[in-house]
């Protein structure tokens, strides 16, 4: 990700570009009208690159205090109210939690800080906003030194971190791993002896201030970590500050870059680029964030997300289009293979047909004959279905015994129905067989003769058995039953014959009936029985 890094001091602004882990050569803009115009022209050529503003100002105040331990919106409102009380004249305010007290109410330790020279910062920010350049955030060198402190790992005791910046000599005091305050002192000269002399004097003042404010005990060991060029470090070593109350550690530019894991940062004589490298390699949350200044960056991030989504959708479409194109090509190739195979089989078939001996009958006529034979077989009559119905009915009446059975086909011509008159002359019937002159499946007639055994002279039981047998047969569709003879003829006008006391006439109960089934029901029952 490309980042436009702006390093702001009280006298000038330096613009560099971060890309691929490297910082470009800085372009310096003085804090006057010429510098403002030059920055505006510079930003006009790279409006799509977000700006990260790193401040290194003298007017930055720090205040450490405690607040009740609350969470959520209550904590946020309490912090905002405290910041408003401390720094009502500037909108650039920041607060960070630094642990809790171990006794009492266990309040939260808070570090409140602010940039008190708001007009200086507003001047440069307005230029950026006029060019519609997205502002990613406003950062503080003092607060960013926390990252450097963690990398150096100087310990949890009192530590004074001193860095040589273009704006002056910055001292940041840490205790228990937390930043307590930071202040910037202007330099009158940049040579090593002058910087060392100023650093020695400032260290004495800071030790006295820490003792007076009870942030350190008198005589407590203070670890001093100083980052500067080799000339200044040599002058500091010559002062021999180490004692029972002071322990020094001097770090040059190369060692500092190695500790941060980026040797491609060229620090030269001051450590501005070291903090710019920390900001370029990471994307921390903005220290001083204003909604109106962050609006452009929010839109820029939304636009980047939309571009990414559009690219993903386009890539998906291209992928599916390519896949469909490949599938289409494969299908076309398979179709061509099938067409060639079909043509080859057709040629082989024609060659086989041509090689066969000539016959008087054409293949088409032979096929028609086979179809006609199948149709004749389909319309042929069979007694199986009707006999199966009679068998099922006899299974339920074991007292009935058949003596004789005769089966014959009925007249295929359907009887005239007054409700459904016969079709007019020349009208085609709906049966496919009739369309080509083949008679439809004829009806069936079965005549059975039998008797009731054992009889024992019980005419009522014999009559009931014959009636049940006829009723069961009639329940089948298209089956009609005509009883020709009953064990006892009860018709009016017919005399009753028999001899009392004659065993020969008392032990027989013979019956005879005629069972008829129509052709249509025969087809249906035949299909059902065939399926069974």
């Amino acid at each position: 990700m490309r980042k436009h890094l702006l390093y702001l001091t009280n006298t000038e602004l330096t613009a560099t570009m971060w890309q691929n882990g490297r910082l470009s050569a800085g372009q310096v803009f003085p804090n006057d009208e010429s510098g403002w115009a030059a920055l505006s022209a510079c930003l006009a050529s790279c409006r799509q690159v977000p700006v990260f503003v790193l401040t290194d100002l003298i007017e930055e105040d720090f205040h450490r205090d405690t607040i009740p331990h609350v969470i959520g919106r209550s904590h946020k409102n309490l912090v905002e109210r405290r910041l408003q009380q401390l720094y009502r004249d500037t909108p650039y305010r920041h607060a960070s939690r630094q642990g809790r007290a171990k006794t009492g109410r266990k309040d939260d330790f808070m570090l409140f800080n602010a940039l008190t020279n708001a007009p200086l910062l507003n001047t440069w920010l307005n230029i950026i906003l006029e060019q519609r350049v997205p502002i990613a955030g406003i950062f503080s060198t003092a607060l960013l030194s926390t990252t450097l402190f963690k990398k150096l790992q100087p310990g949890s005791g009192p530590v004074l971190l001193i860095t040589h910046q273009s704006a002056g000599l910055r001292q940041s005091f840490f205790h228990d791993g937390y930043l307590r305050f930071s202040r910037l002192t202007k330099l009158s000269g940049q040579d090593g002896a002058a910087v060392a002399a100023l650093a020695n004097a400032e260290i004495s003042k800071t030790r006295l201030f820490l003792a007076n404010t009870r942030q350190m005990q008198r005589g407590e060991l203070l670890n001093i970590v100083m980052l500067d060029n080799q000339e200044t470090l040599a002058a500091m070593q010559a002062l021999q500050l180490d004692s029972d109350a002071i322990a020094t550690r001097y770090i040059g530019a190369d060692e500092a870059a190695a500790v941060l894991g980026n040797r491609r940062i060229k620090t030269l004589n001051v450590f501005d680029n070291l903090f710019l490298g920390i900001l370029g390699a990471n994307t921390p949350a903005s220290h001083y964030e204003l909604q109106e200044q962050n609006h452009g960056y929010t839109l820029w991030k939304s636009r980047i997300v939309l571009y990414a989504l559009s690219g993903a959708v386009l890539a998906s479409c291209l992928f599916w289009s390519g896949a469909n194109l490949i599938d289409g090509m494969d299908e076309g190739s398979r179709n061509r293979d099938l067409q060639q195979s079909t043509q080859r089989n057709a040629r082989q078939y024609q060659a086989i047909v041509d090689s066969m001996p000539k016959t008087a009958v054409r293949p088409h006529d032979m096929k028609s004959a086979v179809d006609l034979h199948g149709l004749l077989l389909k319309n042929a009559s069979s007694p199986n279905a009707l006999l199966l119905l009679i068998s099922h009915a006899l299974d339920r009446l074991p007292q009935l015994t058949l003596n004789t059975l005769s089966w014959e086909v009925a007249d295929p011509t359907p009887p005239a129905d007054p409700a459904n008159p016969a079709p007019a002359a020349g009208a085609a019937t709906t049966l496919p067989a009739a369309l080509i002159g083949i008679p439809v499946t004829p009806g069936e007639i079965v005549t059975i003769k039998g008797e009731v055994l054992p009889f024992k002279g019980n005419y009522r039981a014999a009559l009931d058995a014959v009636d049940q047998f006829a009723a069961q047969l009639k329940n089948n569709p298209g089956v009609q039953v005509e009883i020709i003879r009953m064990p006892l003829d009860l018709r009016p006008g017919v005399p009753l014959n028999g001899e009392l006391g004659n065993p020969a006439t008392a032990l027989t109960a013979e019956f005879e009936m005629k069972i008829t089934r129509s052709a249509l029901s025969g087809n249906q029952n035949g299909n059902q029985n065939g399926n069974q």
Side-chain angles (χ1 to χ4, degrees):
M1 174 182 175
R2 295 179 64 194
K3 297 180 180 180
H4 206 167
L5 306 180
L6 305 183
Y7 187 82
L8 176 63
T9 67
N10 289 82
T11 58
E12 62 188 17
L13 183 143
T14 304
T16 60
M17 188 69 69
W18 175 270
Q19 187 174 6
N20 298 327
R22 293 181 180 275
L23 281 173
S24 65
Q27 185 177 357
V28 180
F29 304 95
N31 187 21
D32 53 29
E33 293 184 358
S34 62
W36 303 335
L39 177 64
S40 179
C42 176
L43 294 176
S45 61
C46 53
R47 292 178 178 174
Q48 299 304 319
V49 181
V51 165
F52 293 72
V53 181
L54 179 60
T55 61
D56 196 5
L57 305 176
I58 296 176
E59 300 88 351
E60 187 170 13
D61 185 70
F62 294 84
H63 180 82
R64 195 168 187 266
D65 202 349
T66 59
I67 62 173
H69 178 72
V70 292
I71 60 176
R73 185 176 295 273
S74 300
H75 173 78
K76 182 178 180 181
N77 294 336
L78 185 61
V79 170
E80 289 293 336
R81 184 163 57 251
R82 186 59 175 148
L83 285 173
Q84 182 67 23
Q85 294 172 354
L86 292 172
Y87 310 109
R88 65 178 63 252
D89 296 329
T90 177
Y92 304 105
R93 302 184 288 256
H94 180 265
S96 57
R97 184 183 300 184
Q98 296 186 340
R100 297 180 60 183
K102 297 181 180 180
T103 59
R105 296 186 309 176
K106 297 184 178 181
D107 292 340
D108 291 334
F109 290 113
M110 299 293 299
L111 179 66
F112 302 99
N113 60 290
L115 297 174
T116 57
N117 191 355
L120 172 65
L121 187 57
N122 289 335
T123 301
W124 295 101
L125 292 179
N126 290 335
I127 297 173
I128 300 172
L129 295 175
E130 288 175 0
Q131 293 296 330
R132 299 183 181 276
V133 177
I135 301 177
I138 304 170
F139 303 89
S140 166
T141 302
L143 297 178
L144 210 59
S145 63
T146 303
T147 303
L148 181 60
F149 176 84
K150 293 178 180 179
K151 292 289 185 179
L152 297 176
Q153 299 179 350
S156 60
V159 178
L160 185 63
L161 180 63
I162 303 175
T163 57
H164 184 186
Q165 312 294 128
S166 60
L169 200 65
R170 175 165 291 280
Q171 301 175 76
S172 301
F173 177 68
F174 292 84
H175 201 300
D176 296 330
Y178 293 110
L179 176 68
R180 298 295 182 88
F181 71 87
S182 180
R183 65 189 186 93
L184 181 66
T185 306
K186 287 187 176 181
L187 293 171
S188 57
Q190 293 291 341
D191 61 288
V195 174
L198 179 63
N200 187 20
E202 291 299 323
I203 289 173
S204 299
K205 294 179 182 178
T206 301
R207 288 184 61 201
L208 182 61
F209 170 77
L210 293 174
N212 292 336
T213 57
R214 297 184 180 180
Q215 298 188 53
M216 280 185 59
Q217 300 295 328
R218 294 186 181 274
E220 185 179 0
L221 179 64
L222 175 63
N223 293 284
I224 297 177
V225 180
M226 186 169 184
L227 285 73
D228 209 329
N229 56 61
Q230 294 300 328
E231 180 185 359
T232 304
L233 295 181
M236 288 293 297
Q237 290 175 350
L239 295 177
Q240 297 182 356
L241 299 179
D242 288 346
S243 63
D244 295 338
I246 295 178
T248 59
R249 176 185 174 186
Y250 302 113
I251 300 176
D254 294 338
E255 183 182 353
V259 169
L260 293 176
N262 195 339
R263 296 180 177 273
R264 292 181 289 183
I265 300 176
K266 298 180 179 180
T267 56
L268 300 179
N269 293 325
V270 293
F271 280 70
D272 299 352
N273 286 356
L274 187 67
F275 287 95
L276 289 173
I278 295 175
L279 185 58
N282 305 279
T283 306
S286 178
H287 297 152
Y288 304 108
E289 184 175 359
L290 299 181
Q291 184 175 1
E292 60 273 14
Q293 296 170 353
N294 193 44
H295 179 67
Y297 183 61
T298 302
L299 294 178
W300 178 83
K301 289 193 297 184
S302 302
R303 185 166 57 252
I304 294 299
V305 172
L306 290 177
Y307 286 159
L309 292 177
S310 300
V313 172
L314 178 60
S316 300
C317 293
L318 292 176
F319 173 77
W320 285 114
S321 298
N324 291 334
L325 179 61
I326 294 174
D327 290 342
M329 295 175 63
D330 292 342
E331 290 295 335
S333 177
R334 283 193 290 267
N335 288 336
R336 287 191 297 271
D337 294 341
L338 290 175
Q339 291 176 359
Q340 293 175 1
S341 178
T342 302
Q343 294 174 0
R344 183 169 57 254
N345 293 336
R347 289 193 297 268
Q348 293 176 357
Y349 171 78
Q350 190 62 39
I352 293 174
V353 171
D354 294 341
S355 63
M356 295 178 65
K358 302 298 181 181
T359 59
V361 182
R362 295 182 303 170
H364 177 71
D365 297 337
M366 297 177 65
K367 181 179 182 302
S368 300
V370 173
D371 293 341
L372 182 59
H373 179 263
L375 190 58
L376 289 172
L377 292 178
K378 180 179 179 182
N379 290 337
S381 300
S382 173
N384 295 338
L386 185 53
L387 294 182
L388 186 61
L389 296 179
I390 296 173
S391 176
H392 288 331
L394 290 174
D395 287 341
R396 298 182 178 89
L397 298 166
Q399 65 271 34
L400 299 182
T401 302
L402 296 185
N403 295 331
T404 61
L405 182 147
S406 64
W407 174 83
E408 60 181 326
V409 294
D411 186 359
T413 303
D417 187 357
N420 298 306
T429 180
T430 58
L431 295 176
L435 293 177
I436 59 175
I438 299 176
V440 298
T441 304
E444 306 172 57
I445 299 175
V446 173
T447 302
I448 60 175
K449 295 180 180 181
E451 59 180 319
V452 179
L453 292 178
F455 175 51
K456 298 181 181 180
N458 190 351
Y459 284 99
R460 182 179 297 277
L463 292 175
D464 290 343
V466 174
D467 288 337
Q468 291 179 17
F469 180 57
Q472 290 183 14
L473 292 175
K474 289 179 182 179
N475 288 334
N476 297 289
V479 177
Q480 299 177 359
V481 179
E482 179 185 356
I483 300 177
I484 300 174
R485 179 184 174 187
M486 292 288 282
L488 180 63
D489 197 344
L490 300 178
R491 291 176 297 175
V494 178
L496 296 174
N497 296 322
E499 296 181 6
L500 295 174
N502 187 352
T505 60
L507 296 178
T508 62
E510 296 179 350
F511 67 92
E512 181 180 356
M513 64 176 59
K514 180 181 178 181
I515 305 169
T516 305
R517 189 174 67 157
S518 62
L520 180 60
S521 62
N523 291 335
Q524 293 176 348
N525 291 337
N527 293 334
Q528 293 175 358
N529 295 329
N531 293 334
Q532 294 175 357

